[in-house]
Amino acid sequence: MSRLITRRRFLIGSTLTASALGLSGCDALVESDRTKSVLKIAEGFSMKTQRFLLGDKALAREFSEADLSPIFRSNGTSMPDNPQYLDWMSRQFSTWNLDVGGLVEKPAQFSLAQLKAMPSRTQITRHDCVEGWSAIGKWTGLPLGALLQSVGLKPEARYIVFHCADEYEKTLDGSGWYYESIDLVDAFHPQTILAYSMNGRDLEVAHGAPLRLRVERQLGYKQAKYLTRIEAVADLGRLYGGSGGFWEDRGYEWYAGI
């Protein structure tokens, strides 16, 4: 266990580099081409190191119900300012659907009831936020890998992109909508789930209702909330800022492994 904790601390430290620069107000430094190049190399090193040390299928630590945090803060948006979302919410998400498309053989839509009827996984894990806080929660949801297998990925698919209902920042070009992405290694990891329940209850709005991503070996900003669409793509360069996520387009690391 001590070796695992030591590795975890090392990986957290290497992952936080770009995020810490942004949060400390060093925006000009993060935006410089030289710094971006250095951070990109460090990010690649962090991902390769974690996967070398722990393996592609190694599990994040799971806890018992006795370890659940009495308070689990909401990360990011706590209430989307989106008329469509507000309408879904007023109907208890009975009219909400998850679109799954892009480079898949059988594009499909799934209602919340359909997702809940599929085989599920429950896990009690720790959420580590880049802002410096952590909390332990119990999540239940559909393994993402099983959903992707049901629609069939095309051979050229390399990344899975998650589009969300929260417009985190108002922009004219639409780049303020929250989105995230992971590669196929993390997409098919057994602890990567589309969670619809937290601590034995349906997700609350503040925690991403009706559906959020849990990719347990990465930091909190990768855990996209308010999912509306999942898209399989060959590359990330054509999406918004081209870096694979809302915060990544603003200087954070794409691979936020811990």
Side-chain angles (χ1 to χ4, degrees):
M1 182 61 68
S2 61
R3 289 184 61 197
L4 179 60
I5 292 173
T6 300
R7 288 174 178 175
R8 184 180 182 88
R9 286 174 178 168
F10 166 75
L11 292 165
I12 289 175
S14 60
T15 301
L16 289 178
T17 305
S19 304
L21 284 171
L23 289 173
S24 64
C26 300
D27 295 334
L29 178 60
V30 173
E31 288 300 319
S32 75
D33 291 339
R34 183 176 181 181
T35 301
K36 286 181 179 179
S37 177
V38 171
L39 294 177
K40 196 70 175 176
I41 294 172
E43 178 185 346
F45 174 74
S46 175
M47 179 171 70
K48 291 178 180 178
T49 299
Q50 178 176 15
R51 289 180 174 170
F52 173 75
L53 291 175
L54 303 180
D56 290 350
K57 297 299 182 183
L59 301 180
R61 181 182 175 185
E62 296 193 15
F63 299 82
S64 72
E65 292 201 5
D67 299 311
L68 291 175
S69 298
I71 298 175
F72 197 117
R73 293 169 56 182
S74 169
N75 63 309
T77 303
S78 59
M79 172 62 79
D81 181 16
N82 177 349
Q84 177 66 80
Y85 182 85
L86 295 176
D87 182 67
W88 288 328
M89 187 175 66
S90 71
R91 302 171 190 271
Q92 289 75 53
F93 300 103
S94 62
T95 58
W96 170 93
N97 287 290
L98 178 69
D99 291 311
V100 183
L103 296 175
V104 300
E105 299 292 348
K106 298 176 289 184
Q109 282 191 336
F110 299 91
S111 69
L112 184 58
Q114 288 175 313
L115 295 175
K116 287 184 174 183
M118 297 178 184
S120 65
R121 175 184 172 90
T122 296
Q123 56 203 31
I124 300 177
T125 53
R126 191 174 78 183
H127 178 104
D128 291 304
C129 182
V130 72
E131 294 177 338
W133 59 269
S134 298
I136 294 173
K138 178 181 177 181
W139 308 95
T140 298
L142 167 70
L144 175 60
L147 184 69
L148 296 177
Q149 288 175 334
S150 74
V151 297
L153 291 179
K154 293 185 177 181
E156 58 269 35
R158 294 182 57 210
Y159 303 96
I160 306 301
V161 181
F162 305 89
H163 300 273
C164 307
D166 53 327
E167 190 174 11
Y168 204 81
E169 186 177 278
K170 300 292 184 182
T171 61
L172 295 177
D173 62 0
S175 62
W177 290 95
Y178 205 91
Y179 80 106
E180 260 303 341
S181 62
I182 56 178
D183 65 12
L184 298 187
V185 171
D186 280 323
F188 284 92
H189 188 274
Q191 288 176 316
T192 299
I193 65 173
L194 302 177
Y196 45 73
S197 171
M198 177 184 176
N199 294 342
R201 301 183 297 275
D202 286 347
L203 283 179
E204 297 177 359
V205 169
H207 290 294
L211 195 71
R212 71 175 294 165
L213 174 67
R214 293 302 307 176
V215 52
E216 301 296 356
R217 300 198 304 176
Q218 298 208 41
L219 287 169
Y221 65 86
K222 299 296 290 190
Q223 325 292 328
K225 304 195 296 186
Y226 315 114
L227 299 183
T228 60
R229 181 163 61 97
I230 293 177
E231 179 184 14
V233 301
D235 65 79
L236 301 171
R238 297 181 180 180
L239 293 167
Y240 301 110
S243 295
F246 176 87
W247 286 115
E248 291 88 328
D249 289 343
R250 290 154 178 81
Y252 281 41
E253 293 183 342
W254 175 77
Y255 185 74
I258 50 177

